[in-house]
């Protein structure tokens, strides 16, 4: 019988985090289990910093709230943790043993890890070191292996779709090409799905290195039939054939944290090229963090609640080292090893490497077929 559990959130926030926290907490309350939340994810695990959630009024009324009431850490890898020495020098230390001890001392029977590929990689490694973990797949990018969908993704698509709707009217009014750059890292899910939902004319995704001339041709065809405007969705990780996606080194983030490269700027590049090739004025909008903040859609509230309740159920059954998933629309779980197992190295700096199991858009996916069927140009 488990008595005490803790939740931690790691990585970029998404809408739905609080809904998962609430569902775990409520299921714990129903079953008389104490529920805690680590403050700022893996950072809280290192510093042994947590708060009680069950019975806490501050953990109530959070279903519809964006963000996470317990915070979330980015660039916090317990196996490679940035420590500032008293003399100001920086060192990277493996603090995983300290984390294992902290969990034991606190008496947590299970730690729920809410996060994407990198987070679940860390969770798998901590499981191997003796912590009972259960992962819940979180990311707007929708790129976690073994699940149909991650929580937060639907809200991001919904925000992007609304942006496309709004860009349509201004594009039409001014005879312009409106480019919308959306997030997703190396996965094109948000771009592809929102392009279909918003009726965009072109969608460029990382899984299909683009030929800008093809996109320009599609726009020129529209001009030829009197449609002197177009809407183009560009995934931040999209790149031209033979080229690379536009990215920059993120300030203040050390290379050793492994996450120094940030995408951003590809939309601007595409807009510039399309303006030159088509003769239409082009403008670029970067949607950015709008996709992660604010209230979750009804779909994400339900998905998050299902994932949270399932995670607690698995803990009560003693099934650890697993991830809650949705498989062919049905709630289920898989071993974390299946999710991140390509990256065998214990304590590797990050999950999102070429060794990781990240789930990309495949060419046989219905979204690709549907987009092509209705004439959305995918840049090829
Ligand atoms: O992985 C989620 C995500 O929002 C990506 O889509 C984006 O590239 C990245 O995080 C941005 O990271 P940060 O919050 O560190 O700027």
């Amino acid at each position: 019988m488990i008595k005490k559990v803790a939740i931690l959130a790691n990585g970029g926030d998404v809408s739905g985090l609080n809904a998962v926290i609430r569902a775990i907490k409520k299921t714990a309350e129903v079953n008389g289990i104490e529920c805690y939340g680590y403050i700022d994810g893996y950072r809280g695990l290192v510093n042994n910093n947590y708060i009680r959630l069950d019975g806490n009024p501050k953990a109530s009324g959070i279903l519809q709230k964006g963000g996470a009431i317990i915070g979330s850490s980015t660039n916090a890898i317990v196996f490679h943790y940035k420590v500032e020495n008293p003399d100001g020098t920086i060192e990277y230390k493996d603090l995983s043993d300290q984390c294992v001890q902290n969990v034991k001392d606190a008496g947590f029977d299970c730690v729920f890890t809410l996060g994407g590929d990198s987070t679940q990689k860390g969770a798998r490694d901590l499981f191997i070191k003796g912590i009972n973990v259960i992962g819940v797949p979180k990311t707007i990018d929708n790129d976690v292996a073994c699940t149909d969908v991650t929580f937060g993704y639907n809200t991001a698509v919904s925000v992007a779709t609304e942006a496309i709707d709004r860009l349509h009217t201004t594009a039409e009014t001014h005879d312009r090409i409106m480019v919308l750059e959306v997030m997703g890292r190396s996965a094109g899910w948000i771009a592809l799905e929102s392009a279909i939902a918003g009726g965009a004319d072109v969608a460029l995704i990382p899984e299909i290195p683009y030929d800008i001339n093809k996109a320009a041709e599609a726009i020129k065809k529209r001009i030829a039939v009197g449609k002197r405007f177009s809407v183009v969705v560009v995934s931040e990780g999209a790149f031209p054939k033979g080229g690379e996606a536009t990215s920059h080194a993120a300030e203040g983030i050390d290379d050793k944290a492994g996450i120094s490269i940030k995408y951003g700027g590809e939309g601007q590049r595409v807009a510039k090229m399309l303006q030159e090739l088509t003769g239409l004025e082009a403008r670029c909008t970067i949607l950015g963090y709008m996709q992660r903040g604010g209230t979750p859609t009804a779909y994400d509230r339900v998905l998050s609640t299902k994932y949270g309740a399932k995670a607690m159920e698995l803990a009560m059954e003693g099934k650890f080292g697993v991830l809650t998933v949705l498989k062919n629309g049905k709630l289920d779980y898989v071993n974390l090893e299946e999710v991140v197992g390509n990256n065998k190295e214990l304590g590797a700096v990050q999950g999102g490497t070429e060794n990781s199991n990240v789930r990309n858009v495949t060419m046989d996916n219905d979204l690709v077929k549907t987009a092509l069927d209705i004439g959305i140009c995918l840049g090829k």
Side-chain angles (χ1 to χ4, degrees), residues 12 74-75 139-141 183-185 190 236 253 262-263 289 292:
T74 52
N75 311 313
T139 168
I140 63 164
D141 304 337
M183 283 184 167
R185 293 206 304 182
I190 300 176
E236 62 178 1
I253 298 176
K262 293 284 169 201
Y263 290 111
Y289 299 89
R292 292 185 359 193

Side-chain angles (χ1 to χ4, degrees), residues 338-365:
E338 279 181 55
V339 182
V340 298
N342 283 350
N343 197 335
K344 295 276 174 233
E345 192 192 338
L346 201 65
V349 170
Q350 64 168 334
T353 65
E354 65 263 24
N355 297 330
S356 74
N357 304 36
V358 161
R359 189 176 80 101
N360 279 101
V361 175
T362 51
M363 292 311 110
D364 61 352
N365 188 279

Side-chain angles (χ1 to χ4, degrees), residues 84-376:
E84 191 172 342
N85 294 316
D87 65 358
T89 55
I90 299 290
E91 249 186 282
Y92 284 84
K93 291 187 178 167
D94 179 353
L95 300 183
S96 56
D97 287 337
Q98 181 178 317
C99 292
V100 174
Q101 197 54 49
N102 284 347
V103 172
K104 275 194 188 144
D105 291 348
F108 292 136
D109 300 306
C110 173
V111 177
F112 299 101
T113 52
L114 281 40
D117 175 62
S118 293
T119 305
Q120 305 311 341
K121 163 74 175 61
R124 188 278 311 260
D125 295 351
L126 288 171
F127 178 63
I128 290 172
K129 293 203 77 163
I131 299 183
N132 287 337
V133 299
I134 295 177
V136 183
K138 172 229 70 172
T139 168
I140 63 164
D141 304 337
N142 202 31
D143 61 355
V144 176
C146 304
T147 186
D148 297 349
V149 66
T150 55
F151 72 91
Y153 169 67
N154 183 267
T155 306
V157 170
S158 175
V159 171
T161 303
E162 190 188 340
I164 295 168
D165 288 348
R166 290 178 186 277
L167 291 174
H168 251 119
T169 57
T170 170
E172 194 166 3
T173 304
H174 294 291
D175 290 347
R176 280 176 173 163
I177 298 167
M178 284 294 179
V179 174
L180 178 69
E181 181 183 301
V182 297
M183 283 184 167
R185 293 206 304 182
S186 61
W189 296 106
I190 300 176
L192 189 54
E193 192 147 357
S194 66
I196 294 172
D201 308 295
V202 178
L204 304 180
I205 61 173
E207 291 83 353
I208 304 176
Y210 65 81
D211 176 348
I212 198 67
N213 295 304
K214 298 285 179 200
E217 269 169 35
I219 291 169
K220 281 190 198 156
K221 271 191 198 154
R222 285 173 52 79
I223 298 173
V225 294
K227 295 178 180 172
R228 295 191 50 78
F229 70 95
S230 284
V231 175
V232 177
V233 183
V234 176
S235 179
E236 62 178 1
F239 57 93
K241 261 187 196 161
E244 278 179 14
T246 310
S247 62
H248 60 280
E251 232 176 277
I253 298 176
D254 196 287
D255 236 342
K256 287 186 181 165
I259 318 169
S260 58
I261 296 300
K262 293 284 169 201
Y263 290 111
E266 192 62 27
Q268 195 63 50
R269 170 155 75 160
V270 167
K272 193 168 176 287
M273 290 190 288
L274 288 179
Q275 179 164 307
E276 282 164 12
L277 290 168
T278 64
L280 282 187
E281 254 189 331
R283 296 281 190 273
C284 174
T285 302
I286 299 177
L287 197 51
Y289 299 89
M290 297 285 291
Q291 293 157 96
R292 292 185 359 193
T295 190
T297 56
Y299 178 91
D300 263 333
R301 293 183 198 194
V302 174
L303 179 67
S304 300
T305 304
K306 279 176 165 177
Y307 275 158
K310 178 76 181 175
M312 193 65 222
E313 190 186 293
L314 290 166
M316 289 188 290
E317 287 168 10
K319 294 204 172 73
F320 302 115
V322 296
L323 181 81
T324 61
V325 296
L326 206 67
K327 240 189 225 167
N328 302 321
K330 220 172 151 21
L331 204 53
D332 206 341
Y333 68 94
V334 293
N335 287 330
L336 277 172
E337 199 54 36
E338 279 181 55
V339 182
V340 298
N342 283 350
N343 197 335
K344 295 276 174 233
E345 192 192 338
L346 201 65
V349 170
Q350 64 168 334
T353 65
E354 65 263 24
N355 297 330
S356 74
N357 304 36
V358 161
R359 189 176 80 101
N360 279 101
V361 175
T362 51
M363 292 311 110
D364 61 352
N365 188 279
D366 284 348
L367 291 175
V368 173
K369 288 190 193 158
T370 303
L372 292 173
D373 280 349
I374 63 163
I376 295 179

